[in-house]
Amino acid sequence: GAGVSQSPSNKVTEKGKDVELRCDPISGHTALYWYRQSLGQGLEFLIYFQGNSAPDKSGLPSDRFSAERTGGSVSTLTIQRTQQEDSAVYLCASSADRPRGGYTFGSGTRLTVV
Amino acid sequence: SQQGEEDPQALSIQEGENATMNCSYKTSINNLQWYRQNSGRGLVHLILIRSNEREKHSGRLRVTLDTSKKSSSLLITASRAADTASYFCATEKAAGNKLTFGGGTRVLVKP
């Protein structure tokens, strides 16, 4: 597609449930990033995939968070046993190998844990 | 903690005025980027300036970079109501590495 697509756009879940967030990057973009943004705050880095290299998972806040990228394209961010503090907008971005034009962001998934 | 910190946190101006916001960072970088965010959703890339560049223009936007002071500024000239948004700076330590974002500046342009 023309842009980065994220689904769902909104997700309300009960505390303790697992959720999966999906990101479809721009075709041909080798790099894919997940960020989290709490209300009125900046972006918090979560995880970064670059081609066939091992992902940089240094931003994942706990072992309840995991992500995978299948076939170098679609990525899924999974949060297990959700907590209220997980409520945030989860943003995905992709870029070409050398992002001369910067990253392209999706519209995000707003996760609310009740 | 954030690599980049924007100043001010919020800015309110009249349409037609210029808006200036600053970004400071802590470590050496390969490039610095500015993004705009409307309504708390996806970010839009505005401009990228490399560590060996000092100034860059794009339309009504002017970005400067001072690597000796580890700071950058974004100037929006002749602001419009549509410029109302949050603006974030982000730094990349090495080419192709992850971006580290600051906390953003919320800009309100009053018609």
Side-chain angles (χ1 to χ4, degrees):
Chain A
V4 177
S5 177
Q6 290 188 246
S7 61
S9 56
N10 288 282
K11 175 73 177 179
V12 179
T13 189
E14 292 182 352
K15 178 181 172 182
K17 300 280 190 185
D18 298 351
V19 295
E20 282 189 354
L21 312 180
R22 178 186 168 104
C23 173
D24 281 275
I26 290 176
S27 178
H29 277 190
T30 56
L32 186 148
Y33 314 80
W34 283 98
Y35 287 86
R36 176 170 74 172
Q37 186 178 31
S38 299
L39 187 63
Q41 302 297 310
L43 276 72
E44 175 189 3
F45 167 76
L46 297 177
I47 189 168
Y48 160 46
F49 297 90
Q50 173 61 59
N52 295 321
S53 303
D56 177 354
K57 304 179 182 181
S58 60
L60 295 178
S62 77
D63 58 9
R64 295 186 296 104
F65 288 72
S66 63
E68 61 179 26
R69 188 178 185 190
T70 54
S73 181
V74 172
S75 177
T76 303
L77 176 68
T78 301
I79 308 173
Q80 295 178 312
R81 305 180 302 281
T82 51
Q83 304 294 313
Q84 287 187 329
E85 60 263 29
D86 298 335
S87 296
V89 175
Y90 289 80
L91 292 160
C92 174
S94 70
S95 74
D97 236 355
R98 307 266 315 193
R100 294 183 178 86
Y103 295 12
T104 302
F105 278 82
S107 296
T109 293
R110 184 179 301 279
L111 175 67
T112 304
V113 182
V114 297
Chain B
S1 62
Q2 300 284 355
Q3 157 79 320
E5 294 184 3
E6 284 92 336
D7 169 57
Q9 290 187 335
L11 181 61
S12 180
I13 57 174
Q14 292 294 139
E15 202 164 29
E17 293 180 342
N18 296 340
T20 300
M21 60 210 86
N22 303 296
C23 168
S24 60
Y25 56 92
K26 297 174 184 174
T27 66
S28 63
I29 61 172
N30 174 274
N31 66 76
L32 184 145
Q33 303 177 30
W34 285 92
Y35 288 81
R36 183 184 72 219
Q37 184 180 41
N38 293 88
S39 306
R41 299 307 286 258
L43 280 73
V44 174
H45 177 260
L46 296 176
I47 200 163
L48 181 154
I49 186 166
R50 301 190 184 283
S51 59
N52 61 352
E53 297 175 312
R54 292 296 167 258
E55 187 170 313
K56 212 161 182 182
H57 297 255
S58 177
R60 294 183 294 112
L61 305 180
R62 173 178 168 253
V63 167
T64 64
L65 179 65
D66 186 335
T67 52
S68 66
K69 295 181 179 178
K70 291 187 170 60
S71 68
S72 173
S73 69
L74 170 66
L75 167 68
I76 306 173
T77 60
S79 63
R80 305 168 183 168
D83 295 328
T84 294
S86 290
Y87 292 82
F88 293 88
C89 71
T91 54
E92 193 172 52
K93 289 185 184 180
N97 210 317
K98 65 178 185 276
L99 280 181
T100 304
F101 284 81
T105 294
R106 294 185 306 280
V107 175
L108 172 63
V109 181
K110 295 178 282 188

